[in-house]
């Protein structure tokens, strides 16, 4: 079968079976093309709360499917590829965070959305890369324990100097693959290009950036900018999407190693098999986990607007 034949079958089946396909922007082009909605983690969370279809198929990683289930517990939520986890989301467990809370009484725990549903049950507020600064500035609390991404946390702390932000040392293994050497090499090769990076990159990379933002933030910035060349410091699918969306501009990966293998495990035939009911994993969460985890996601949407 060709790509377009598989895509046509998916489009037909999802209509017949009332399936809404959500795809994170790190998914391959052929998947984002057939999705009902594509975006960054924040946009996907907001969308998840208002989806009308009875079944939601998440093409992304596990914490994203869990977020959909938490916000729409009455829906059947399927993770397209059961192996698609986010290593950062699994870096910290309940025991560690409970210990940290005990050691830091009075601190509000702000969790990057890249955390498990279980961990969210003991956190106070969720943030995403695009909403973190806005949310932390809007929060009345001053003392904040930020988990699990030390790089996003460092970036946020710089933008919110009036807050007292404690960090823990977690991070994204994909974005941490790039260092200052990659920046120097890319800038030398493309001296006229602007550098756009995700805040999950290490500070030694981010400090050279012309723009720091979420996946959608980077895509919007590049589309609206009058510049014509860009080095992209996030997962390489964003390079590909931008090449399609802004064909009059040039996009270069900061490194060929900026590939999230978990995001890339889902294939278009997997999506077709999920629509046929032959693949994927239904996300099941107990009602207590949903109720407790929902509080911190609701707070994110309340502060994030
Ligand atoms: P965004 O919030 O930019 O979608 O990022 C999610 C993610 O997993 C980045 O690695
Ligand atoms: Fe997780 Fe990093 Fe992959 Fe994003 S890019 S899903 S943070 S491993």
């Amino acid at each position: 079968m060709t790509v377009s034949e598989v895509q046509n079958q998916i489009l037909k089946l999802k209509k017949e079976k009332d399936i809404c396909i959500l795809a994170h922007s790190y998914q391959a082009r052929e998947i984002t093309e057939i999705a009902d909605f594509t975006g960054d983690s924040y946009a996907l969370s907001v969308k998840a709360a208002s989806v009308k279809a009875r079944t939601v198929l998440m093409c992304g990683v596990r914490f994203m499917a869990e977020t959909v289930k938490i916000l729409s517990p009455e829906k059947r939520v399927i993770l397209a590829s059961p192996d698609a986890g986010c290593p950062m989301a699994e870096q910290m467990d309940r025991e560690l965070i409970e210990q940290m809370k005990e050691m830091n009484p009075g601190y509000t725990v702000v969790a990057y959305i890249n955390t498990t549903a279980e961990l969210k049950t003991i956190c106070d507020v969720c943030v995403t890369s695009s909403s973190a600064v806005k949310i932390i500035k809007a929060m009345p609390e001053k003392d904040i324990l930020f988990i699990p991404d030390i790089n996003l946390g460092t970036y946020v702390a710089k933008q919110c100097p009036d807050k007292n932000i404690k960090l823990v040392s977690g991070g994204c293994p994909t974005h941490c693959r790039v260092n200052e050497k990659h920046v120097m090499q890319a800038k030398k090769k493309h001296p006229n290009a602007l550098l756009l990076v995700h805040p999950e990159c290490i500070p030694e990379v981010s400090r050279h950036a012309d723009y720091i933002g979420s996946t959608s933030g980077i895509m919007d910035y590049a589309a609206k900018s009058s510049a014509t060349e860009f080095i992209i410091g996030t997962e390489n699918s964003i390079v590909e999407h931008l090449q399609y969306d802004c064909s009059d501009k040039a996009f270069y990966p900061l490194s060929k190693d900026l590939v999230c293998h978990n995001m890339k495990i889902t294939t278009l035939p997997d999506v077709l098999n999920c629509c046929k009911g032959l693949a994927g994993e239904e996300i099941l969460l107990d009602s207590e986990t949903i109720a407790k985890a929902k509080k911190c996601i609701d707070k994110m949407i309340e502060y994030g607007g």
Side-chain angles (χ1 to χ4, degrees):
M1 271 193 294
T2 64
V3 168
S4 62
E5 281 167 349
V6 178
Q7 286 180 320
N8 286 337
Q9 281 198 32
I10 294 171
L11 292 173
K12 188 167 169 276
L13 274 175
K14 79 180 181 68
K15 203 169 169 193
E16 279 169 20
K17 296 192 169 185
D18 193 24
I19 300 171
C20 169
I21 300 181
L22 301 182
H24 187 266
S25 322
Y26 289 165
Q27 294 290 296
R29 189 73 187 173
E30 61 269 25
I31 294 177
T32 59
E33 277 177 1
I34 49 85
D36 293 280
F37 187 78
T38 301
D40 66 5
S41 326
Y42 187 76
L44 289 177
S45 310
V46 173
K47 192 74 193 169
S50 64
V51 164
K52 298 270 181 304
R54 274 185 307 146
T55 302
V56 178
L57 177 58
M58 172 55 78
C59 302
V61 292
R62 184 169 293 271
F63 78 81
M64 295 176 176
E66 286 183 346
T67 304
V68 178
K69 186 68 186 174
I70 292 163
L71 291 172
S72 296
E74 71 294 349
K75 300 203 186 307
R76 240 179 113 238
V77 178
I78 312 289
L79 174 62
S81 182
D83 290 335
C86 166
M88 171 155 59
E90 284 143 34
Q91 271 163 359
M92 279 160 208
D93 61 14
R94 201 188 167 103
E95 214 182 359
L96 175 79
I97 301 307
E98 267 165 356
Q99 255 177 25
M100 295 200 60
K101 282 172 75 163
E102 258 175 49
M103 284 160 56
N104 296 282
Y107 273 67
T108 299
V109 182
V110 175
Y112 192 18
I113 199 156
N114 299 41
T115 40
T116 61
E118 199 208 352
L119 211 53
K120 287 184 178 84
T121 62
I122 55 163
C123 297
D124 300 302
V125 186
C126 262
V127 295
T128 65
S129 56
S130 59
S131 62
V133 171
K134 184 177 179 188
I135 290 170
I136 290 179
K137 280 188 173 165
M139 286 168 54
E141 295 89 348
K142 203 171 153 52
D143 295 330
I144 290 164
L145 188 61
F146 188 94
I147 62 158
D149 188 353
I150 195 166
N151 297 318
L152 175 64
T154 302
Y155 167 72
V156 170
K158 258 193 215 141
Q159 310 294 313
C160 307
D162 53 328
K163 302 278 176 171
N164 174 30
I165 302 182
K166 276 197 183 175
L167 306 171
V168 285
S169 64
C172 164
T174 303
H175 287 85
C176 288
R177 272 183 218 135
V178 283
N179 56 38
E180 210 163 11
K181 223 164 112 186
H182 293 102
V183 174
M184 295 311 151
Q185 281 166 354
K187 279 184 175 271
K188 198 171 165 200
K189 218 165 154 188
H190 310 291
N192 298 321
L194 295 185
L195 174 66
L196 318 183
V197 311
H198 198 280
E200 286 176 14
C201 288
I202 59 172
E204 291 78 2
V205 168
S206 301
R207 70 191 174 90
H208 295 285
D210 296 288
Y211 172 80
I212 302 173
S214 74
T215 51
S216 300
I218 289 175
M219 291 178 78
D220 288 348
Y221 184 95
K224 288 181 188 146
S225 170
S226 56
T228 56
E229 284 183 76
F230 304 88
I231 300 160
I232 303 298
T234 191
E235 216 278 341
N236 285 339
S237 273
I238 301 301
V239 175
E240 188 186 5
H241 298 321
L242 282 167
Q243 286 170 338
Y244 278 100
D245 296 345
C246 311
S247 52
D248 54 337
K249 298 180 177 179
F251 300 95
Y252 318 109
L254 176 55
S255 160
K256 62 181 166 42
D257 295 327
L258 267 169
V259 176
C260 174
H261 302 297
N262 284 278
M263 283 285 183
K264 291 289 131 59
I265 192 95
T266 306
T267 64
L268 190 67
D270 287 338
V271 180
L272 176 58
N273 285 334
C274 289
C275 292
K276 288 180 177 169
L278 302 173
E281 178 186 323
E282 179 169 1
I283 300 294
L284 300 169
L285 296 172
D286 63 73
S287 53
E288 197 187 334
T289 301
I290 289 179
K292 286 185 175 166
K294 189 172 184 296
K295 281 190 197 155
C296 67
I297 301 177
D298 283 347
K299 274 242 174 311
M300 171 181 87
I301 296 175
E302 182 192 320
Y303 287 128

